Amino acid sequence: MTTTPIFKRVALIGFGLIGGSIARGARAQGLVGEIVTTARSEKTRARVAELGIVDQVVATNAEAVKDADLVILCIPVGACGPVAAEIAEYLKPGAIISDVGSVKGAVVKDMAPHLPDGVHFVPAHPVAGTEHSGPDSGFPELFINRWCILTPPEGTDPAATERLRAFWAGLGAKVEIMTPDHHDLVLAITSHLPHLIAYTIVGTADELAQVTESEVIKFSAGGFRDFTRIAASDPTMWRDVFLANKDAVLEMLGTFTEDLAKLTRAIRRGDGEALFDHFTRTRAIRRGIVEIGQDSAAPDFGRPHANLANKAE
């Protein structure tokens, strides 16, 4: 546990999986003195108050950010611009404002024009999550050994970036700094395109008239189960992601379509060697992910992190 809080007062706008995990982790590690939050619906605010995780639950975004040293927008990327405009006049001079969205170029473009001088804007993307959402879904270990990418715009005070880096490191994350555009290109292939493929495959299975719903559920193998888990992610969040990062996603989708056409030709021609070579190369990537600790080689049933997430529900 940290002996001296990094921030005296942290405001979380939005309290779902990410916001709830930040609050739980920051409290457990002693990273903050006080946590204030708000959420869009009265029902969510009431549930957060019942959970007793934060010090205050307030009704408006303006109330939440008052006197906060750190403000984190834990909301869909499409809402970040309007919220930045709403809270701008209430931000404390010297405060750091950040977010948790998986698109950074659009967030910078939408938020930066509204933020006053003297406020430090350091966008962030914790590359961690589950398919669950809502105030009950968070757990303090979510960010441990996961990456958090900071994308400070040009001219950002390095001390503010370092302070936020220390905060995320205190939550257990490994922190990387890159430009917003480079972040969006990297995440288009590692996160956004896989989600698009998962949504498509699960949707296709649902539309197949010759396969009943019970058969899809009953005979789902590991691969399809993984796709359904990804495709269960929050629809609002992912709608906004694809609209906000459309250029990078379309670029990666074009490359993927070309590669898929090559595999289609190999299958049609019975080219086993081409298939074997491709599968060997992709298998090596999987092993690399396991070796650096970003996933487990254990069977998909009974993984420790899966059990931990279930306990948090």
Side-chain angles (χ1 to χ4, degrees):
M1 176 182 289
T2 302
T3 55
T4 303
I6 297 174
F7 295 98
K8 291 182 179 180
R9 181 181 174 109
V10 172
L12 301 173
I13 297 180
F15 203 92
L17 170 67
I18 301 298
S21 296
I22 291 173
R24 290 170 170 93
R27 178 71 76 219
Q29 297 303 320
L31 301 174
V32 300
E34 182 182 13
I35 302 174
V36 182
T37 191
T38 187
R40 185 175 57 180
S41 75
E42 184 177 347
K43 179 180 179 181
T44 299
R45 295 194 298 271
R47 179 55 184 157
V48 175
E50 288 176 2
L51 290 170
I53 300 166
V54 303
D55 298 286
Q56 290 186 57
V57 180
V58 296
T60 68
N61 296 333
E63 291 179 83
V65 305
K66 183 181 179 182
D67 296 325
D69 303 293
L70 172 64
V71 177
I72 305 179
L73 275 57
C74 306
I75 56 179
V77 294
C80 286
V83 169
E86 178 187 353
I87 65 175
E89 64 180 289
Y90 304 100
L91 294 171
K92 174 183 175 181
I96 297 172
I97 182 166
S98 189
D99 74 310
V100 296
S102 68
V103 178
K104 298 271 73 87
V107 165
V108 170
K109 178 175 64 70
D110 292 345
M111 289 183 63
H114 301 294
L115 301 178
D117 293 338
V119 169
H120 308 294
F121 182 31
V122 188
H125 175 206
V127 188
T130 73
E131 71 271 30
H132 303 294
S133 58
D136 291 275
S137 61
F139 53 100
E141 301 88 355
L142 178 63
F143 309 111
I144 293 176
N145 291 326
R146 300 303 180 195
W147 287 102
C148 181
I149 302 171
L150 306 185
T151 63
E154 187 175 351
T156 301
D157 183 359
T161 300
E162 173 56 27
R163 198 175 176 197
L164 189 62
R165 186 208 64 76
F167 177 77
W168 278 106
L171 292 172
K174 299 183 289 186
V175 183
E176 183 86 5
I177 297 175
M178 60 180 68
T179 66
D181 288 345
H182 186 66
H183 165 279
D184 289 352
L185 188 63
V186 171
L187 269 294
I189 188 61
T190 61
S191 176
H192 304 165
L193 185 58
H195 275 81
L196 186 65
I197 294 168
Y199 281 122
T200 303
I201 289 176
V202 175
T204 299
D206 183 57
E207 294 170 2
L208 289 175
Q210 67 269 34
V211 179
T212 68
E213 181 179 354
S214 62
E215 288 174 324
V216 169
I217 295 173
K218 182 177 179 179
F219 300 115
S220 61
F224 189 74
R225 284 199 307 272
D226 284 347
F227 278 125
T228 60
R229 176 185 59 78
I230 295 171
S233 299
D234 182 76
T236 301
M237 180 184 76
W238 282 99
R239 175 202 64 195
D240 287 359
V241 165
F242 289 121
L243 293 177
N245 199 30
K246 65 178 182 179
D247 290 341
V249 169
L250 288 172
E251 181 180 342
M252 293 300 105
L253 186 59
T255 301
F256 172 77
T257 302
E258 293 173 3
D259 290 342
L260 186 61
K262 294 176 184 176
L263 289 176
T264 301
R265 287 194 297 271
I267 293 171
R268 183 179 293 117
R269 296 169 181 172
D271 189 347
E273 183 176 352
L275 294 173
F276 182 83
D277 289 346
H278 184 84
F279 300 156
T280 300
R281 180 162 54 88
T282 57
R283 188 184 191 189
I285 293 174
R286 169 61 185 174
R287 287 176 173 172
I289 291 173
V290 172
E291 287 173 1
I292 65 172
Q294 290 301 293
D295 204 350
S296 168
D300 52 2
F301 282 124
R303 289 186 181 178
H305 68 272
N307 292 338
L308 181 62
N310 290 336
K311 289 179 183 178
E313 286 304 298

